């Protein structure tokens, strides 16, 4: 079959309908090659779109369910359509049982088989209200929370590479720069680096540079002596001294005042500093982790961040993925937050409707994991039964 037959030639409305259908939809040509898989398919099974296109369909079918593609093609071509049940494989080799409908079609003289897969896993198809059809639901008790040793929840393959970087750098003394959007969990990665390191029994001290008034930033980080400035009635120990022997996280390091950046650079290079108003040099042994949602390279070009400090901070850079790039983690994170707020509020939410979960999966979450947590908390407050009440969020998406 010629490659010219493609769903991407369809009008935009048809493409949208196919791409966002509730069912997983796959098209395959005569030799078994996949020529189209909708978003529901590759998100539900944990693949990237490009990992499915031009691949053999039998590669994602459970071996026990396979018949040769020539047999499958012949049967559906003869019958026009078939209904059967089998299993398909996720990206991490888990099996998802599906109710399948297979159709033979011809478009512009080219033949193909169109497969519609409705998952029968992790759902509760219990009866709906009287007079209403049954609705697919995600049973939260059947979602396996995949947490690593640091409590980070993920099954996403791209995010596993991030966690691998954390493991690689943890037991070194290298300075780490964690970059990523607001709400992606940069502090959680910093905690993981500390907990996996040889410093785990020593202090882990956090400083949010954006929350410190500029005139107090030097005192907060490096401490001060009595009388160093008006209101300094006694000596204060700074965060660097507090973290001696352990790890210091400078969160939102892009907000650090420009006049303090040379002093920070000296600490990184020489491991020493003086308290404000003092002349005694203090030696420390601190592992520094910096985190930011700012574009530090752009700040350098604008004169707001020192280039030499940037290179000293980014000995080992880690980019923390936004939630829209790890959407297969949304059900796991939703379950985690539901259990958290169930316990906190005394609720008993156990499921989410399939349509509501699809809305969550298709939403881009500009506020990332923090936004998802807020959405779940608000929904738990409004939930009275065992199903999550996402109505305010759903209404917001329709506006």
């Amino acid at each position: 079959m010629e490659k010219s037959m493609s769903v991407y030639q369809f009008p935009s409305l048809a493409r949208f309908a196919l791409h966002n259908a509730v069912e997983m939809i796959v098209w395959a040509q005569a030799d078994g090659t996949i020529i189209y898989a909708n978003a529901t398919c590759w998100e539900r099974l944990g693949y990237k779109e490009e990992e499915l296109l031009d691949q053999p369909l039998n590669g994602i079918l459970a071996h026990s369910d396979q018949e040769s593609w020539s047999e499958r093609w012949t049967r559906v071509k003869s019958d026009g359509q078939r209904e059967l049940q089998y299993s398909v494989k996720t990206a991490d080799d888990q099996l998802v049982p599906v109710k399948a409908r297979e159709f033979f079609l011809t478009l512009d003289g080219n033949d193909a088989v169109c497969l519609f897969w409705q998952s029968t896993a992790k759902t509760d198809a219990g009866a709906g209200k009287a007079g209403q059809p049954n609705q697919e639901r995600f049973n939260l008790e059947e979602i396996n929370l995949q947490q690593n040793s640091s409590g980070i929840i993920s099954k996403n393959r791209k995010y596993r590479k991030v966690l691998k970087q954390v493991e690689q750098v943890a037991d070194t003394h290298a300075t780490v720069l964690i970059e990523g959007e607001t709400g992606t969990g940069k502090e959680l990665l910093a905690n993981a680096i500390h907990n996996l390191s040889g410093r785990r029994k020593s202090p882990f001290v956090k400083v949010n540079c954006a929350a410190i008034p500029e005139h107090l930033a030097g005192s907060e980080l490096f401490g001060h002596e009595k009388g160093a400035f008006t209101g300094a009635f006694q000596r204060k120990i700074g965060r660097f001294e507090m973290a001696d022997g352990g790890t210091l996280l400078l969160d939102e390091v892009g907000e650090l005042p420009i006049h303090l950046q040379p002093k920070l650079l000296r600490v990184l290079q020489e491991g020493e500093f003086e308290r404000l108003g003092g002349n005694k040099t203090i030696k420390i042994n601190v592992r520094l982790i910096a985190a930011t949602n700012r574009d530090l390279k752009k700040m350098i070009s604008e004169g707001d961040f020192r280039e030499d400090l940037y290179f000293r901070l980014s000995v080992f850079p880690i980019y923390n993925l936004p939630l829209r790039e790890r959407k297969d983690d949304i059900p796991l994170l939703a379950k985690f937050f539901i259990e958290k707020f169930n316990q906190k509020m005394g609720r008993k939410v156990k499921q989410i409707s399939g349509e509501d979960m699809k809305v969550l999966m298709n939403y881009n979450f500009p506020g990332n994991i923090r936004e998802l947590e807020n959405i779940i908390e608000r929904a738990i407050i409004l939930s009275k039964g065992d199903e999550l009440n996402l109505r305010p969020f759903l209404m917001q998406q329709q506006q």
Side-chain angles (χ1 to χ4, degrees):
M1 188 179 82
E2 296 179 4
K3 195 72 164 81
S4 58
M5 186 181 117
S6 170
V7 70
Y8 299 103
Q9 296 172 341
F10 281 19
S12 58
L13 183 59
R15 291 200 306 270
F16 178 84
L18 279 171
H19 223 47
N20 295 281
V22 174
E23 296 172 303
M24 294 178 274
I25 300 175
V26 175
W27 288 14
Q29 58 187 20
D31 63 358
T33 300
I34 297 173
I35 57 173
Y36 172 73
N38 70 344
T40 306
C41 181
W42 35 270
E43 289 177 358
R44 175 66 180 84
L45 300 182
Y47 294 95
K48 299 177 185 177
E49 183 178 12
E50 60 270 21
E51 291 174 330
L52 290 179
L53 293 181
D54 299 325
Q55 301 303 313
L57 178 63
N58 270 1
I60 61 171
L61 297 180
H63 293 297
S64 59
D65 296 324
Q66 285 190 26
E67 55 187 332
S68 70
W69 179 251
S70 60
E71 291 175 327
R72 183 183 297 273
W73 180 272
T74 300
R75 289 183 182 182
V76 72
K77 183 176 182 179
S78 174
D79 298 340
Q81 67 179 66
R82 296 197 305 168
E83 292 189 10
L84 59 163
Q85 294 189 5
Y86 47 79
S87 296
V88 294
K89 291 191 294 187
T90 65
D92 54 0
D93 289 326
Q94 301 297 310
L95 297 183
V96 177
V98 296
K99 181 179 180 181
R101 292 178 297 147
E102 301 180 350
F103 296 87
F104 190 85
L105 57 87
T106 300
L107 182 66
D108 294 333
N110 296 306
D111 296 335
V113 169
C114 182
L115 305 101
F116 292 81
W117 293 335
Q118 181 180 356
S119 172
T120 58
K122 295 182 180 178
T123 61
D124 177 10
K129 296 180 181 179
Q132 293 183 348
N134 290 344
Q135 185 182 35
E136 181 180 327
R137 288 173 171 80
F138 279 77
N139 188 339
L140 297 171
E141 294 178 350
E142 296 181 16
I143 298 177
N144 179 28
L145 284 184
Q146 302 186 36
Q147 293 179 278
N148 72 357
S149 59
S150 298
I152 296 176
I153 298 170
S154 181
K155 68 174 185 178
N156 180 269
R157 288 186 300 165
K158 288 174 65 177
Y159 201 69
R160 287 177 190 169
K161 294 180 181 179
V162 175
L163 299 180
K164 183 65 176 178
Q165 288 181 295
V166 168
E167 294 174 0
Q168 289 171 329
V169 76
D171 208 20
T172 72
H173 300 294
T175 303
V176 179
L177 176 63
I178 305 174
E179 298 177 280
E181 298 175 10
T182 298
T184 54
K186 295 185 290 294
E187 184 178 323
L188 196 60
L189 291 186
N191 266 293
I193 292 171
H194 174 74
N195 291 332
L196 292 171
S197 75
R199 299 171 181 261
R200 66 181 68 88
K201 295 182 180 180
S202 299
F204 177 71
V205 179
K206 299 174 287 186
V207 182
N208 186 336
C209 298
I212 307 173
E214 184 172 339
H215 66 285
L216 295 177
S219 172
E220 189 69 26
L221 292 178
F222 307 110
H224 64 252
E225 299 290 350
K226 180 179 179 180
F229 51 83
T230 302
F233 300 117
Q234 60 185 5
R235 173 186 290 175
K236 176 180 178 177
I237 301 300
R239 299 298 181 94
F240 270 97
E241 284 183 83
M242 291 181 188
D244 192 20
T247 305
L248 177 65
L249 168 63
L250 290 184
D251 198 9
E252 304 301 345
V253 71
E255 307 298 330
L256 190 69
I258 191 74
H259 70 272
L260 283 179
Q261 293 179 22
K263 193 165 186 176
L264 175 58
L265 183 62
R266 180 190 172 198
V267 176
L268 290 172
Q269 291 176 335
E270 302 174 18
E272 62 183 33
F273 64 94
E274 291 84 30
R275 299 190 192 104
L276 298 184
N279 53 21
K280 178 183 176 182
T281 298
I282 300 170
K283 292 278 189 179
I284 55 166
N285 175 15
V286 171
R287 201 284 179 68
L288 185 68
I289 302 174
T292 184
N293 63 358
R294 301 282 299 274
D295 184 343
L296 296 186
K297 290 183 179 179
K298 182 179 179 182
M299 292 182 66
I300 291 170
S301 66
E302 295 173 349
D304 295 325
F305 203 84
R306 290 179 61 108
E307 186 175 35
D308 49 1
L309 177 58
Y310 170 78
F311 288 121
R312 192 64 186 82
L313 291 174
S314 60
V315 172
F316 194 91
I318 296 177
Y319 176 67
N320 201 21
L321 295 176
L323 188 54
R324 63 180 173 275
E325 293 184 23
R326 43 180 293 210
K327 287 192 172 183
D328 50 337
D329 284 339
I330 290 175
L332 280 72
L333 292 165
K335 176 180 180 176
F336 174 79
F337 292 131
I338 288 171
E339 291 180 346
K340 171 183 175 180
F341 294 118
N342 269 344
Q343 184 175 10
K344 184 177 180 180
M345 301 179 193
R347 301 297 167 86
K348 297 181 179 180
V349 173
K350 296 181 180 179
Q351 59 189 13
I352 307 175
S353 76
E355 285 299 316
D356 288 359
M357 180 61 80
K358 185 172 178 60
V359 173
L360 286 177
M361 295 288 285
N362 287 334
Y363 181 55
N364 275 336
F365 287 100
N368 293 292
I369 298 173
R370 186 179 298 127
E371 183 180 10
L372 174 61
E373 180 178 11
N374 292 342
I375 289 169
I376 297 298
E377 182 176 14
R378 184 166 64 249
I380 290 285
I381 293 172
L382 298 172
S383 299
K384 302 303 180 184
D386 65 352
E387 183 167 314
L388 191 69
N389 183 357
L390 279 169
R391 282 193 296 272
F393 172 71
L394 298 176
M395 292 175 63
Q396 176 184 337
Q397 300 314 301
Q398 295 170 0
Q399 294 175 356

